[in-house]
Short mmCIF file of all heavy atoms in Angstrom, two decimals:
data_model
loop_
_atom_site.label_atom_id
_atom_site.label_comp_id
_atom_site.label_asym_id
_atom_site.label_seq_id
_atom_site.Cartn_x
_atom_site.Cartn_y
_atom_site.Cartn_z
N ALA A 1 117.47 106.55 57.39
CA ALA A 1 118.12 105.99 56.30
C ALA A 1 119.37 106.77 55.98
O ALA A 1 120.50 106.10 55.47
CB ALA A 1 117.24 105.97 55.08
N ALA A 2 119.49 108.04 56.27
CA ALA A 2 120.66 108.94 55.92
C ALA A 2 121.74 108.60 56.84
O ALA A 2 122.92 109.05 56.63
CB ALA A 2 120.22 110.32 56.08
N THR A 3 121.58 107.73 57.89
CA THR A 3 122.77 107.35 58.78
C THR A 3 123.76 106.65 57.94
O THR A 3 124.97 106.69 58.22
CB THR A 3 122.26 106.47 59.89
OG1 THR A 3 121.46 105.34 59.37
CG2 THR A 3 121.39 107.21 60.89
N GLY A 4 123.37 105.93 56.85
CA GLY A 4 124.32 105.31 55.98
C GLY A 4 125.24 106.23 55.27
O GLY A 4 126.42 106.12 55.13
N ILE A 5 124.55 107.37 54.82
CA ILE A 5 125.39 108.41 54.14
C ILE A 5 126.27 109.12 55.07
O ILE A 5 127.43 109.37 54.78
CB ILE A 5 124.40 109.41 53.45
CG1 ILE A 5 123.49 108.72 52.45
CG2 ILE A 5 125.16 110.60 52.85
CD1 ILE A 5 122.49 109.61 51.78
N VAL A 6 125.76 109.39 56.27
CA VAL A 6 126.52 110.12 57.30
C VAL A 6 127.78 109.30 57.71
O VAL A 6 128.86 109.81 58.13
CB VAL A 6 125.64 110.38 58.56
CG1 VAL A 6 126.55 110.88 59.73
CG2 VAL A 6 124.68 111.44 58.20
N THR A 7 127.59 107.94 57.70
CA THR A 7 128.79 107.06 58.01
C THR A 7 129.78 107.00 56.85
O THR A 7 130.96 106.99 57.10
CB THR A 7 128.21 105.72 58.36
OG1 THR A 7 127.32 105.87 59.50
CG2 THR A 7 129.32 104.73 58.71
N ALA A 8 129.27 106.82 55.70
CA ALA A 8 130.22 106.42 54.51
C ALA A 8 130.86 107.56 53.91
O ALA A 8 132.02 107.47 53.47
CB ALA A 8 129.37 105.69 53.54
N VAL A 9 130.20 108.74 53.74
CA VAL A 9 130.77 109.97 53.02
C VAL A 9 132.14 110.34 53.64
O VAL A 9 133.07 110.54 52.99
CB VAL A 9 129.75 111.07 52.89
CG1 VAL A 9 130.48 112.27 52.35
CG2 VAL A 9 128.66 110.56 51.87
N PRO A 10 132.16 110.53 54.99
CA PRO A 10 133.44 110.98 55.51
C PRO A 10 134.52 109.96 55.34
O PRO A 10 135.75 110.31 55.18
CB PRO A 10 133.07 111.14 57.02
CG PRO A 10 131.67 111.37 57.11
CD PRO A 10 131.11 110.57 55.96
N LEU A 11 134.14 108.66 55.37
CA LEU A 11 135.14 107.61 55.08
C LEU A 11 135.71 107.60 53.79
O LEU A 11 136.89 107.47 53.53
CB LEU A 11 134.47 106.24 55.51
CG LEU A 11 135.43 105.08 55.40
CD1 LEU A 11 136.51 105.10 56.48
CD2 LEU A 11 134.66 103.77 55.49
N ILE A 12 134.82 107.89 52.78
CA ILE A 12 135.30 108.02 51.43
C ILE A 12 136.25 109.15 51.25
O ILE A 12 137.23 109.06 50.59
CB ILE A 12 134.12 108.15 50.47
CG1 ILE A 12 133.23 106.83 50.48
CG2 ILE A 12 134.46 108.49 49.03
CD1 ILE A 12 131.89 106.96 49.71
N CYS A 13 135.93 110.32 51.86
CA CYS A 13 136.81 111.47 51.84
C CYS A 13 138.13 111.14 52.48
O CYS A 13 139.18 111.47 51.93
CB CYS A 13 136.14 112.70 52.48
SG CYS A 13 134.79 113.40 51.54
N PHE A 14 138.04 110.41 53.63
CA PHE A 14 139.28 110.09 54.26
C PHE A 14 140.17 109.19 53.39
O PHE A 14 141.35 109.37 53.26
CB PHE A 14 138.98 109.42 55.57
CG PHE A 14 140.22 108.84 56.29
CD1 PHE A 14 141.05 109.74 57.11
CD2 PHE A 14 140.63 107.54 56.20
CE1 PHE A 14 142.12 109.19 57.73
CE2 PHE A 14 141.69 107.09 56.77
CZ PHE A 14 142.50 107.92 57.56
N GLY A 15 139.59 108.14 52.69
CA GLY A 15 140.29 107.37 51.75
C GLY A 15 140.88 108.14 50.65
O GLY A 15 142.01 107.80 50.28
N ALA A 16 140.24 109.17 50.09
CA ALA A 16 140.78 109.96 49.03
C ALA A 16 141.96 110.81 49.55
O ALA A 16 142.91 111.09 48.85
CB ALA A 16 139.72 110.90 48.53
N ALA A 17 141.90 111.18 50.87
CA ALA A 17 142.94 111.99 51.45
C ALA A 17 144.25 111.03 51.65
O ALA A 17 145.40 111.55 51.49
CB ALA A 17 142.54 112.65 52.74
N ALA A 18 143.96 109.87 52.17
CA ALA A 18 145.06 109.01 52.58
C ALA A 18 146.04 108.65 51.40
O ALA A 18 147.18 108.47 51.71
CB ALA A 18 144.51 107.70 53.15
N VAL A 19 145.53 108.71 50.23
CA VAL A 19 146.42 108.31 49.07
C VAL A 19 147.04 109.55 48.48
O VAL A 19 147.84 109.48 47.51
CB VAL A 19 145.67 107.63 47.98
CG1 VAL A 19 145.16 106.29 48.52
CG2 VAL A 19 144.53 108.46 47.39
N ARG A 20 146.77 110.70 48.95
CA ARG A 20 147.32 112.01 48.45
C ARG A 20 148.18 112.79 49.35
O ARG A 20 148.98 113.60 48.85
CB ARG A 20 146.04 112.93 47.99
CG ARG A 20 145.37 112.40 46.75
CD ARG A 20 144.13 113.22 46.51
NE ARG A 20 143.47 112.86 45.22
CZ ARG A 20 142.59 112.02 45.01
NH1 ARG A 20 142.21 111.31 46.05
NH2 ARG A 20 142.13 111.71 43.81
N VAL A 21 148.01 112.63 50.68
CA VAL A 21 148.88 113.39 51.58
C VAL A 21 149.59 112.45 52.58
O VAL A 21 149.24 111.37 52.77
CB VAL A 21 148.00 114.40 52.43
CG1 VAL A 21 147.26 115.35 51.52
CG2 VAL A 21 146.99 113.67 53.32
N PRO A 22 150.67 112.95 53.08
CA PRO A 22 151.49 112.09 54.02
C PRO A 22 150.62 111.73 55.37
O PRO A 22 149.72 112.46 55.69
CB PRO A 22 152.64 113.01 54.46
CG PRO A 22 152.72 114.05 53.37
CD PRO A 22 151.35 114.25 52.89
N LEU A 23 150.99 110.54 55.84
CA LEU A 23 150.33 110.09 57.07
C LEU A 23 150.55 111.14 58.24
O LEU A 23 149.67 111.22 59.11
CB LEU A 23 150.79 108.67 57.44
CG LEU A 23 150.32 107.61 56.65
CD1 LEU A 23 150.94 106.26 57.05
CD2 LEU A 23 148.84 107.45 56.72
N SER A 24 151.64 111.85 58.25
CA SER A 24 151.78 112.73 59.39
C SER A 24 150.86 113.88 59.23
O SER A 24 150.42 114.49 60.27
CB SER A 24 153.32 113.30 59.15
OG SER A 24 153.54 113.88 57.92
N THR A 25 150.48 114.29 58.12
CA THR A 25 149.49 115.34 57.87
C THR A 25 148.13 114.91 58.41
O THR A 25 147.43 115.56 59.10
CB THR A 25 149.37 115.74 56.43
OG1 THR A 25 150.65 116.18 55.97
CG2 THR A 25 148.35 116.84 56.25
N LEU A 26 147.76 113.59 58.01
CA LEU A 26 146.52 113.03 58.54
C LEU A 26 146.50 112.93 60.06
O LEU A 26 145.52 113.07 60.71
CB LEU A 26 146.25 111.66 57.92
CG LEU A 26 145.88 111.62 56.43
CD1 LEU A 26 145.70 110.16 56.02
CD2 LEU A 26 144.66 112.41 56.25
N GLY A 27 147.69 112.62 60.52
CA GLY A 27 147.85 112.51 62.04
C GLY A 27 147.49 113.82 62.80
O GLY A 27 146.94 113.84 63.85
N LEU A 28 147.90 114.98 62.17
CA LEU A 28 147.64 116.23 62.65
C LEU A 28 146.05 116.60 62.46
O LEU A 28 145.48 117.19 63.34
CB LEU A 28 148.52 117.26 62.03
CG LEU A 28 149.98 117.17 62.38
CD1 LEU A 28 150.80 118.23 61.59
CD2 LEU A 28 150.23 117.31 63.85
N LEU A 29 145.62 116.28 61.28
CA LEU A 29 144.17 116.57 60.98
C LEU A 29 143.17 115.88 61.91
O LEU A 29 142.06 116.35 62.10
CB LEU A 29 143.89 116.26 59.52
CG LEU A 29 144.51 117.08 58.48
CD1 LEU A 29 144.14 116.57 57.07
CD2 LEU A 29 144.07 118.58 58.60
N GLN A 30 143.63 114.76 62.50
CA GLN A 30 142.69 113.95 63.31
C GLN A 30 142.24 114.68 64.49
O GLN A 30 141.05 114.45 65.04
CB GLN A 30 143.33 112.65 63.73
CG GLN A 30 144.42 112.82 64.88
CD GLN A 30 144.95 111.55 65.43
OE1 GLN A 30 144.21 110.58 65.48
NE2 GLN A 30 146.31 111.44 65.59
N TYR A 31 142.97 115.75 64.89
CA TYR A 31 142.48 116.47 66.12
C TYR A 31 141.40 117.42 65.81
O TYR A 31 140.67 117.99 66.65
CB TYR A 31 143.64 117.30 66.73
CG TYR A 31 144.84 116.39 67.25
CD1 TYR A 31 146.16 116.57 66.77
CD2 TYR A 31 144.50 115.41 68.12
CE1 TYR A 31 147.08 115.70 67.25
CE2 TYR A 31 145.52 114.55 68.58
CZ TYR A 31 146.80 114.74 68.22
OH TYR A 31 147.72 113.91 68.60
#
């Protein structure tokens, strides 16, 4: 059942980051 949490929590954090930092920074963090 925790697979839902493992899937959604990083996505929520990513969404919070996307509205606060430049896309170029996210592009570097992806590695």
Side-chain angles (χ1 to χ4, degrees):
T3 55
I5 300 175
V6 169
T7 300
V9 170
L11 184 66
I12 293 173
C13 289
F14 176 82
V19 297
R20 290 175 170 86
V21 299
L23 287 175
S24 57
T25 303
L26 288 178
L28 294 175
L29 290 178
Q30 72 174 321
Y31 296 125

